[in-house]
Amino acid sequence: EIVMTQSPATLSVSPGERATLSCRASQNINNNLAWYQQIPGQAPRLLINGASTRATGIPARFSGSGSGTEFTLTISSLQSEDFAFYYCQQYSNWPPLTFGGGTKVEIK
Amino acid sequence: QVQLQESGPGLVKPSETLSLTCTVSGGSMSSYYWSWIRQPPGKGLEWIGYIYYSGSTNYNSSLRSRVSISVDNSKNQFSLKLNSVTAADTAVYYCASLYGSFDHWGQGTLVTVSS
């Protein structure tokens, strides 16, 4: 099973600043990685798949990068609606499909 | 646009069977795999299993002995059964379309296991 590790667990950022979230895979997953945003009380929403392709309707301030075992989600200028939980998920070697433990982006 | 909606009891007694149904609209059942994911209160996401419209399935090994997913293409629905539940199965259960990534999600339904 591929283990996904996200860091940090909590990221405190001021509105308008850049946020950088990390996700590491326990083995090479090429670019088979997705990122999700979850606002408390809501279902997760797909932000990015293929490590760097934004899903339909996702603003350009969200960008993904990386390949192999190291991945990054960057939010270029945080808006109020971006304060949420973010999860990465691998789909390189499935089943099982596995998620990272999540990063909470909170207002500084 | 694919839309999904979970339905089923919000309260299940310990040792009984949790049963949920997901109704799909706006898309063909043959376009995706269909999956269940759960999230215990205050915790992260756990993939439960998936089914294809043909009926082929795969499950998380941690739940395989207790879980079953079925599909009814005529009703555009797929269903989850989890037997012998305990308090540890209390969670929000989501259904989702799966094409590598989980592209579309239902709103989720909280299932509490309690006597």
Side-chain angles (χ1 to χ4, degrees), chain A residues 36 38 43 49 87 89 91 95, chain B residues 39 50 58 94 100-103 106:
Chain A
Y36 303 87
Q38 186 178 33
N49 59 14
Y87 294 93
Q89 174 239 330
Y91 52 96
Chain B
Q39 185 173 35
Y50 67 72
N58 217 301
Y94 296 100
S101 56
F102 298 99
D103 294 356

Side-chain angles (χ1 to χ4, degrees), chain A residues 1 33-34 36 38 41-46 48-50 87 89-91 94-102, chain B residues 33 35 37 39 43-47 50 58-61 64 94 98-108:
Chain A
E1 173 178 322
L33 184 99
Y36 303 87
Q38 186 178 33
Q42 296 185 17
R45 173 175 71 145
L46 177 66
I48 286 173
N49 59 14
Y87 294 93
Q89 174 239 330
Q90 69 82 20
Y91 52 96
W94 56 289
L97 295 146
T98 49
F99 293 91
Chain B
Y33 290 83
S35 194
I37 299 137
Q39 185 173 35
K43 297 189 177 180
L45 300 162
E46 179 182 33
W47 170 71
Y50 67 72
N58 217 301
Y59 304 121
N60 191 320
S61 59
R64 185 171 291 130
Y94 296 100
L98 169 62
Y99 199 73
S101 56
F102 298 99
D103 294 356
H104 308 281
W105 296 66
Q107 66 185 24

Side-chain angles (χ1 to χ4, degrees), chain A residues 32-85:
Chain A
N32 296 304
L33 184 99
W35 289 96
Y36 303 87
Q37 177 194 63
Q38 186 178 33
I39 295 167
Q42 296 185 17
R45 173 175 71 145
L46 177 66
L47 294 177
I48 286 173
N49 59 14
S52 61
T53 302
R54 279 189 302 277
T56 302
I58 301 303
R61 65 181 181 272
F62 291 92
S63 62
S65 63
S67 185
T69 61
E70 300 284 344
F71 301 87
T72 300
L73 174 69
T74 302
I75 312 170
S76 59
S77 176
L78 273 159
Q79 307 297 303
S80 58
E81 61 268 28
D82 301 334
F83 292 96
F85 290 85

Side-chain angles (χ1 to χ4, degrees), chain B:
Chain B
Q1 173 76 339
V2 175
Q3 294 185 309
L4 302 98
Q5 178 68 58
E6 305 89 351
S7 58
L11 181 64
V12 182
K13 290 182 168 55
S15 80
E16 296 191 344
T17 296
L18 179 158
S19 296
L20 296 173
T21 295
C22 182
T23 302
V24 179
S25 59
S28 168
M29 294 296 287
S30 63
S31 297
Y32 292 95
Y33 290 83
W34 303 97
S35 194
W36 289 95
I37 299 137
R38 69 180 183 178
Q39 185 173 35
K43 297 189 177 180
L45 300 162
E46 179 182 33
W47 170 71
I48 297 171
Y50 67 72
I51 191 165
Y52 196 44
Y53 78 102
S54 62
S56 65
T57 56
N58 217 301
Y59 304 121
N60 191 320
S61 59
S62 67
L63 298 169
R64 185 171 291 130
S65 63
R66 299 194 292 131
V67 69
S68 173
I69 299 176
S70 59
V71 65
D72 186 337
N73 293 310
S74 67
K75 294 182 178 178
N76 273 22
Q77 292 179 336
F78 62 105
S79 298
L80 169 71
K81 290 189 185 299
L82 182 66
N83 58 37
S84 305
V85 297
T86 69
D89 294 310
T90 293
V92 176
Y93 286 76
Y94 296 100
C95 58
S97 63
L98 169 62
Y99 199 73
S101 56
F102 298 99
D103 294 356
H104 308 281
W105 296 66
Q107 66 185 24
T109 187
L110 174 63
V111 179
T112 302
V113 178
S114 175
S115 55

Side-chain angles (χ1 to χ4, degrees), chain A residues 5-42:
Chain A
T5 303
Q6 292 186 241
S7 61
T10 303
L11 186 61
S12 298
V13 186
S14 299
E17 290 189 342
R18 174 187 298 257
T20 303
L21 290 66
S22 296
C23 176
R24 174 178 293 176
S26 61
Q27 59 187 266
N28 181 11
I29 61 170
N30 297 303
N31 67 339
N32 296 304
L33 184 99
W35 289 96
Y36 303 87
Q37 177 194 63
Q38 186 178 33
I39 295 167
Q42 296 185 17

